[in-house]
Amino acid sequence: DRATMPPIAHEGAIKLWNGGDREQWRAHAAAYDERLRALNLGERLSKLDAFVRKELPKTIAQRRATSATSDDWGYIKKDEYVRVVEWKLARGKTRPGLMKYAQALSERDVESASREAYRLAHASEGGKRNSKGKIVDAMAPFIALKGCGPATASILMAVGDERFPFFSDEALAVVVGNGGNDRYSAARYHEFMKALHRKCDDLGADDLTPAKLESALWSAAALTMPKKMAKTKQ
């Protein structure tokens, strides 16, 4: 069952994680879109992916830039939240219940949680990339929303702050291992996040953020993911 299978550590992602070549990391990240299309998962996922990884971060940044207050770090709307959850389910494991929870949330709750989460993240030790300690706690307002666990909260944070990597199965399996029943816990995510921050420090390049490293790991893993067979005409 796809929804219960443990994450797979793909060979390409393992090799990338164990390496320290900045250009290799950049090359895998740059190949992300091409490799997603090659999996033949459908136009809907491609559009959702472009929205989540490209459009929404720009929208949040624009809201931040046009805000009248200095401590406003942007927010997301309910329809954007729902599309992020749809993307997560389409790219990862199928959990239909999560969409029902997302659709049941109020506009006010989503905007309030996102504003507070982004504010807390930037208030953490000056917003430095290698902040230690409690930056991960900024996810709490999202996790407080019904149906939003650490994995969903991680991508909601990532679209507003690249210090937060998405808690994807493909990256999880090589960064901290599969773990047991607590593999998607907040504590596990904290371990995952710290490991990616350490890798960023080792690579020493400002463009290779934790969120970018996760994209690169997913891209490297995609080389050995099964492709969806195209439907043939009868």
Side-chain angles (χ1 to χ4, degrees):
D1 186 292
R2 181 169 174 249
T4 57
M5 286 177 60
I8 296 171
H10 291 268
E11 183 179 352
I14 294 171
K15 183 177 180 180
L16 180 62
W17 178 247
N18 291 330
D21 187 332
R22 297 176 189 170
E23 293 310 313
Q24 284 293 315
W25 282 95
R26 291 184 178 119
H28 282 290
Y32 177 102
D33 291 336
E34 175 187 343
R35 291 172 184 171
L36 178 66
R37 287 193 298 270
L39 293 177
N40 199 31
L41 298 177
E43 184 64 22
R44 179 60 179 163
L45 176 56
S46 293
K47 289 181 179 179
L48 283 168
D49 197 86
F51 170 76
V52 171
R53 297 178 55 252
K54 299 174 184 178
E55 296 172 32
L56 188 53
K58 291 179 182 178
T59 298
I60 295 169
Q62 185 176 28
R63 288 171 183 158
R64 181 185 311 149
T66 56
S67 174
T69 58
S70 60
D71 64 343
D72 185 350
W73 292 92
Y75 62 93
I76 60 173
K77 297 180 179 180
K78 178 186 172 179
D79 68 304
E80 295 164 342
Y81 181 101
V82 170
R83 290 176 76 183
V84 169
V85 172
E86 186 179 357
W87 169 85
K88 176 180 177 290
L89 295 175
R91 208 192 76 161
K93 294 179 179 177
T94 303
R95 293 190 176 94
L98 294 186
M99 182 55 69
K100 293 180 181 178
Y101 286 129
Q103 292 169 337
L105 293 172
S106 71
E107 185 75 55
R108 179 180 178 180
D109 285 348
V110 171
E111 182 175 330
S112 175
S114 57
R115 282 186 184 278
E116 180 65 3
Y118 299 149
R119 185 192 69 77
L120 287 171
H122 285 274
S124 176
E125 298 191 22
K128 295 179 182 178
R129 185 184 75 183
N130 62 350
S131 294
K132 296 178 174 61
K134 300 301 181 181
I135 184 175
V136 72
D137 291 346
M139 295 169 60
F142 278 128
I143 294 176
L145 296 174
K146 189 170 184 179
C148 185
T152 302
S154 71
I155 186 59
L156 292 165
M157 292 302 303
V159 297
D161 188 329
E162 286 206 357
R163 292 172 299 164
F164 288 81
F166 173 43
F167 202 15
S168 67
D169 281 349
E170 293 76 18
L172 164 67
V174 299
V175 174
V176 292
N178 285 333
N181 293 332
D182 69 338
R183 70 171 60 102
Y184 300 116
S185 68
R188 195 73 165 161
Y189 180 74
H190 195 183
E191 181 184 357
F192 172 80
M193 186 181 186
K194 287 196 297 183
L196 280 166
H197 276 246
R198 286 194 297 269
K199 177 63 77 171
C200 286
D201 291 340
D202 291 343
L203 292 170
D206 288 343
D207 64 307
L208 293 174
T209 62
K212 180 67 72 64
L213 296 193
E214 184 280 325
S215 291
L217 287 169
W218 187 92
S219 177
L223 291 171
T224 50
M225 289 182 198
K227 295 177 173 60
K228 185 176 180 180
M229 297 301 292
K231 293 181 180 179
T232 56
K233 294 181 180 180
Q234 299 295 323

